[in-house]
Amino acid sequence: MTNAKRPRENPNYEPQAASKRPYFFIGLGLLAVTALIVGGIIFTNNKTYPPVDDKVLAQNASFIVGDRTAPKTIDIFEDFNCEHCKKFEEQSGAAIWENVIDGKIRVRYHMLNFLDGNSKSGDYSSRAAGAVLCVARNDNREVFWKLHSQLFEKAGDDLNNQQIAALAASDGASPATQGCIASGELVDEGRDMASASETQLSNSTEGQVATPSVLLAGKQVEHIMDGTAWLDDLIAGTQPTG
C-alpha cells in the first residue's frame, strides 16, 4: 500500500460554481483510492510466511555450543548494539551456559545487525557479528562465551575493530582470530548470515522481528525477559511457545 501525500494548501484557490461533472470524477477518484487502501489491507493481512527452515538456521548460526545429543536445541537471536539483549545476557547468560555444560541444551547463536544504523559508525552490529565468526573459525567456546559477554557489557560503545580484537585477546583468542577481527575479514559474511537468520525469525513471528528472541523448534519462546524461569520451564518441557 502506498502512502498518499497530504495535499498542500493552495492560497490562490478560488471557489468555482458547483457542477455535477467535477463531483462525478471526484467520486471516481475516492472509489479508486478506497479500493487501493482496502486492497493493501487485504494484501497485508493475507501475507503468508513459510515454515522455519531448521537447516538454514543451523547453517547461519554465528556460533553453536552444546552437544549434538542434547535433548533441546534453541536458537537465540541477538544484536550486539541492543540494550535489551544486554539485559537478557545479564539475566540468563550464566544459566544458559550452565545448562550447555550440563548437556541439557544446545544453543545456536544468531547475531543480527538491524541496529547498525543506531551506532555512530553505522556498522557496529555487523562488525561485532563478524568478530564472533572469527572466533568460530579459530577458537573454542570458552573464548566465544567470554567475548560474547564482554561485547554486551559494552553495548552502545561502538568499539572499533582494533578494540574488539583487544577484547578478544584478553579472552584468550588466538593471533589468527585477533588479526581476523582487526581486519574485518568476516564482516560481510556476518551480514549475509544475519540476513538469512533474520528471515527465519521473521517467518516464525509473522514479521515481528525483535531482539532478543529465542526459538524452540521454530516457535518463539515466551517471557524470556522475566528472569530465568523460561529456561527452567523449557528444560522441564513446560515452556509455552508462540
Side-chain angles (χ1 to χ4, degrees):
M1 181 177 68
T2 57
N3 293 322
K5 293 183 178 179
R6 184 177 180 179
R8 295 180 62 185
E9 191 171 330
N10 182 358
N12 297 319
Y13 172 75
E14 292 182 7
Q16 302 293 320
S19 69
K20 293 182 179 179
R21 186 177 179 84
Y23 284 108
F24 173 74
F25 284 104
I26 290 172
L28 287 178
L30 289 173
L31 285 173
V33 170
T34 301
L36 285 172
I37 293 173
V38 172
I41 292 172
I42 291 174
F43 174 79
T44 300
N45 289 344
N46 287 343
K47 184 175 181 179
T48 58
Y49 295 87
V52 174
D53 190 327
D54 189 75
K55 184 178 180 180
V56 174
L57 286 177
Q59 291 175 340
N60 290 280
S62 301
F63 206 98
I64 301 176
V65 292
D67 295 333
R68 292 179 181 274
T69 57
K72 301 285 177 62
T73 295
I74 61 175
D75 291 275
I76 297 179
F77 300 79
E78 301 172 314
D79 186 309
F80 279 122
N81 204 33
C82 165
E83 287 293 332
H84 293 292
C85 298
K86 177 180 180 178
K87 182 179 179 182
F88 176 70
E89 170 64 17
E90 292 170 349
Q91 290 182 340
S92 296
I96 291 170
W97 192 243
E98 181 180 341
N99 281 283
V100 166
I101 297 298
D102 289 345
K104 295 179 180 179
I105 56 172
R106 179 174 170 85
V107 183
R108 301 187 295 207
Y109 285 92
H110 303 265
M111 305 317 303
L112 305 188
N113 64 343
F114 65 91
L115 292 178
D116 263 342
N118 287 11
S119 60
K120 290 182 179 179
S121 65
D123 63 356
Y124 177 70
S125 299
S126 293
R127 290 187 293 105
V132 167
L133 285 183
C134 290
V135 174
R137 298 290 190 275
N138 300 290
D139 292 302
N140 58 31
R141 65 186 187 183
E142 282 74 21
V143 176
F144 160 76
W145 191 254
K146 291 176 183 177
L147 181 60
H148 176 269
S149 296
Q150 281 195 304
L151 287 174
F152 277 122
E153 287 176 9
K154 297 182 178 295
D157 286 357
D158 198 11
L159 304 176
N160 61 39
N161 289 352
Q162 287 68 33
Q163 290 171 320
I164 298 174
L167 272 184
S170 70
D171 296 329
S174 65
T177 293
Q178 297 172 47
C180 176
I181 295 172
S183 67
E185 180 181 336
L186 298 181
V187 172
D188 286 342
E189 185 173 344
R191 287 192 180 100
D192 292 340
M193 294 172 71
S195 178
S197 293
E198 185 176 333
T199 295
Q200 296 306 309
L201 177 59
S202 178
N203 289 343
S204 174
T205 61
E206 297 186 348
Q208 303 301 310
V209 174
T211 54
S213 287
V214 178
L215 299 186
L216 172 65
K219 301 294 184 181
Q220 190 167 33
V221 176
E222 299 178 357
H223 310 303
I224 65 170
M225 297 302 294
D226 300 332
T228 60
W230 69 271
L231 185 57
D232 296 332
D233 291 342
L234 185 149
I235 292 171
T238 57
Q239 169 65 47
T241 56

